[in-house]
Amino acid sequence: MKDSRNASAKPELRPPPLAVEETAVNDSQHQHPIAGSLLAQVLEPDNLVRALQQVKRNKGAAGVDGMTVAMLPGYLKLHWRELKERLLNGSYQPQAVKRVEIPKADGRKRKLGIPTVVDRFIQQAVAQVLSRQWEPTFHKHSYGFRPGRSAHQAVRHAQQLMVGGRQWVVDIDLASFFDRVNHDKLMEKLREKVREKPLLYLIKRYLKAPVQVGNQTSKSIEGVPQGGLLSPLLANIVLNELDWELDKRGHSFARYADDCQIYVSSQRAGERVMSSVQHFIEGSLRLMVNNEKSAVDKAWNRKFLGFSFSRRPGHALKVSDKALEKLKDTVRGLCRRTRGHSIGRVIADLKKSLLGWRAYFGIAEVKGLLQDTDKWIRRKLRCYLWKQWGRKGYRMLRRLGVDRQLAWNTAKSAHGPWRLSMSPALYRALPNRYFMNLGLPSLAA
């Protein structure tokens, strides 16, 4: 057996959760889970190491105790013996979940719950074990928060259904889904596969963990916090019943988390399906359908996971108008005159956002919208530079190769910066290759 001092001397090679081995306690003095039980699997060193690594990759803000992700390994090294004992004897109590509100595009706010990093670590360890147990039972057309599955696969499946002739969609929006998950219903589903009371109690305590908003703390009577690492899996367990009900009825569908679309061949069929499925969701799952956002419509009139489809045969994949407008809002923020940064710094900031955006939306098949957006971004940058130049506009144009008359006319123009950003002088001084050489990526590439 390796010397404990050598193990602690190499924290990167042997992360702190492996201190479970080093601080292992006597069977005669402490309660242990039955070998092979789910709780034993949760507390296995390899599972804990994976959980810690995932929490570190996720990063994220501190919870109510102020502990950061960077502080977590050191904390576990000092306190793992006590923490494990409390998990084993059922006395562990999760801390309150910090509630923050994130603005949504429609003006409303999304409630985000931030557990402490210790609770995120424990939740991740539990989620990894439960995922292995539940994953084989999930439907093949459920794509959200599952290993080897993605939003791209969900969108492609929807596209295939349209090409196959199902061009009407029953677009179901669940009202505040994560905030309204019924705890009793969820625990009932969990008991179908999880028989161990200590693990069930731990999960229930996470569901009932109080919520802290500012200095006020309140009880949690329903919902799973968006931000909790158990929440995506628990959401899939709740909605797995919907998936198999749709399958039993012979419906063609794609679901990603709480985004569910059912594809049918006529409006009449769609209206019938909407009525019956809404009855099932509200009656059996004890959830609510948002009637304002749900609809039966031609599939190309609706968006799905940020994408839409063309009307033409083949139903080519497009970036939705809403997704493009959200990107433009990001660009506007980074190109504000008041930021006062150099063009190189602005493009470096833009690059991070644009590359991430392109990694997701780059599968779009209709490139015209992306090309137009590329042009719009370059125009915003020309506008940013023109405003930054101010009274030096004439000299900068001349320095960048614009002839004297054109530079003079542009500098003395009564038009504003946005209008001038598409002028011949600025196109000549700041051609596309200028921005490309500074590292600006193309969305349409």
Side-chain angles (χ1 to χ4, degrees):
M1 185 170 181
K2 293 184 177 180
D3 184 84
S4 61
R5 290 171 299 176
N6 293 336
S8 62
K10 298 179 180 179
E12 291 303 316
L13 298 177
R14 194 171 176 78
L18 284 181
V20 174
E21 296 175 329
E22 302 166 13
T23 59
V25 286
N26 248 315
D27 289 347
S28 60
Q29 296 176 339
H30 299 274
Q31 179 185 0
H32 286 266
I34 299 172
S37 69
L38 291 178
L39 186 55
Q41 293 175 42
V42 169
L43 297 175
E44 283 179 357
D46 286 349
N47 188 58
L48 296 172
V49 170
R50 287 177 52 222
L52 177 61
Q53 291 170 342
Q54 187 59 50
V55 170
K56 289 165 73 175
R57 278 194 295 269
N58 289 344
K59 299 180 182 179
V64 295
D65 61 355
M67 186 187 300
T68 65
V69 172
M71 297 162 63
L72 178 60
Y75 177 87
L76 292 175
K77 192 167 185 179
L78 291 173
H79 299 282
W80 174 247
R81 183 193 293 268
E82 174 193 354
L83 187 58
K84 179 185 176 184
E85 177 62 16
R86 288 160 59 198
L87 289 168
L88 288 173
N89 63 30
S91 65
Y92 181 78
Q93 290 285 352
Q95 295 189 67
V97 174
K98 184 178 180 180
R99 170 68 55 80
V100 295
E101 295 185 336
I102 308 298
K104 297 172 69 174
D106 58 7
R108 296 186 301 167
K109 293 185 177 180
R110 184 188 305 278
K111 296 177 181 178
L112 183 67
I114 305 175
T116 64
V117 291
V118 172
D119 283 322
R120 299 210 295 266
F121 166 67
I122 297 171
Q123 285 189 37
Q124 180 64 31
V126 172
Q128 288 168 180
V129 171
L130 291 186
S131 180
R132 291 198 299 267
Q133 186 186 39
W134 282 88
E135 183 61 30
T137 73
F138 290 151
H139 197 279
K140 64 180 180 180
H141 295 316
S142 163
Y143 296 94
F145 308 115
R146 296 180 59 191
R149 291 174 177 267
S150 67
H152 287 173
Q153 292 173 337
V155 171
R156 290 296 190 194
H157 177 60
Q159 185 182 34
Q160 291 170 5
L161 293 174
M162 293 174 61
V163 172
R166 299 180 182 275
Q167 298 182 353
W168 286 84
V169 66
V170 181
D171 191 354
I172 297 175
D173 183 90
L174 298 176
S176 303
F177 167 71
F178 283 92
D179 297 328
R180 296 196 179 197
V181 169
N182 184 278
H183 289 174
D184 292 337
K185 182 68 178 178
L186 173 55
M187 295 305 299
E188 177 187 322
K189 295 301 297 182
L190 278 171
R191 289 189 194 98
E192 293 178 6
K193 289 193 170 296
V194 181
R195 306 284 180 172
E196 301 170 27
K197 289 184 179 180
L199 188 54
L200 286 170
Y201 289 155
L202 178 61
I203 294 171
K204 191 167 186 178
R205 282 174 179 168
Y206 273 119
L207 293 175
K208 299 293 185 183
V211 175
Q212 181 173 310
V213 182
N215 295 322
Q216 300 294 319
T217 301
S218 60
K219 293 182 179 179
S220 177
I221 58 175
E222 63 179 358
V224 291
Q226 293 192 63
L229 300 187
L230 257 176
S231 299
L233 175 62
L234 298 179
N236 274 334
I237 291 172
V238 169
L239 293 175
N240 192 42
E241 188 175 347
L242 171 63
D243 296 339
W244 287 106
E245 180 66 21
L246 296 177
D247 183 272
K248 184 175 75 174
R249 298 182 186 188
H251 297 318
S252 300
F253 70 97
R255 182 179 69 80
Y256 189 95
D258 56 333
D259 286 315
C260 183
Q261 293 197 337
I262 306 166
Y263 291 82
V264 296
S265 54
S266 69
Q267 181 178 8
R268 184 175 180 181
E271 290 170 350
R272 185 172 64 250
V273 169
M274 174 67 85
S275 177
S276 63
V277 171
Q278 181 170 356
H279 180 76
F280 175 80
I281 289 171
E282 296 181 348
S284 297
L285 301 185
R286 305 182 200 176
L287 297 168
M288 292 295 295
V289 172
N290 185 334
N291 290 317
E292 292 182 6
K293 290 190 172 183
S294 301
V296 176
D297 204 346
K298 284 288 190 179
W300 49 78
N301 290 334
R302 308 293 294 181
K303 62 182 179 64
F304 185 41
L305 302 177
F307 293 92
S308 58
F309 305 92
S310 67
R311 294 170 179 260
R312 298 177 180 177
H315 303 293
L317 205 57
K318 303 191 301 182
V319 179
S320 71
D321 293 341
K322 185 175 180 180
L324 282 172
E325 192 54 40
K326 188 174 181 180
L327 173 66
K328 288 184 175 182
D329 284 342
T330 299
V331 174
R332 289 185 186 103
L334 293 175
C335 292
R336 291 195 314 271
R337 181 183 185 181
T338 53
R339 296 187 76 217
H341 295 315
S342 68
I343 190 64
R345 169 70 183 277
V346 171
I347 288 180
D349 291 343
L350 275 175
K351 185 176 181 178
K352 296 175 186 177
S353 296
L354 296 180
L355 288 179
W357 193 91
R358 191 176 71 183
Y360 181 74
F361 289 104
I363 66 169
E365 296 159 336
V366 177
K367 298 295 185 182
L369 290 172
L370 300 182
Q371 292 167 350
D372 290 344
T373 306
D374 277 336
K375 294 176 184 176
W376 181 86
I377 292 172
R378 289 191 294 266
R379 185 179 175 188
K380 286 294 293 183
L381 291 172
R382 290 185 181 103
C383 183
Y384 180 86
L385 277 170
W386 183 250
K387 287 188 285 189
Q388 195 174 64
W389 290 343
R391 295 182 178 180
K392 297 186 298 182
Y394 172 77
R395 279 178 288 162
M396 294 302 298
L397 289 175
R398 291 288 291 136
R399 185 180 301 173
L400 291 168
V402 179
D403 66 73
R404 182 174 300 170
Q405 189 63 44
L406 183 57
W408 181 259
N409 290 341
T410 304
K412 296 303 179 180
S413 171
H415 296 307
W418 181 243
R419 176 77 175 270
L420 290 175
S421 64
M422 59 183 298
S423 66
L426 282 172
Y427 269 91
R428 191 171 302 174
L430 304 169
N432 295 353
R433 68 175 178 275
Y434 172 85
F435 299 108
M436 182 180 70
N437 291 339
L438 285 174
L440 181 70
S442 168
L443 301 178

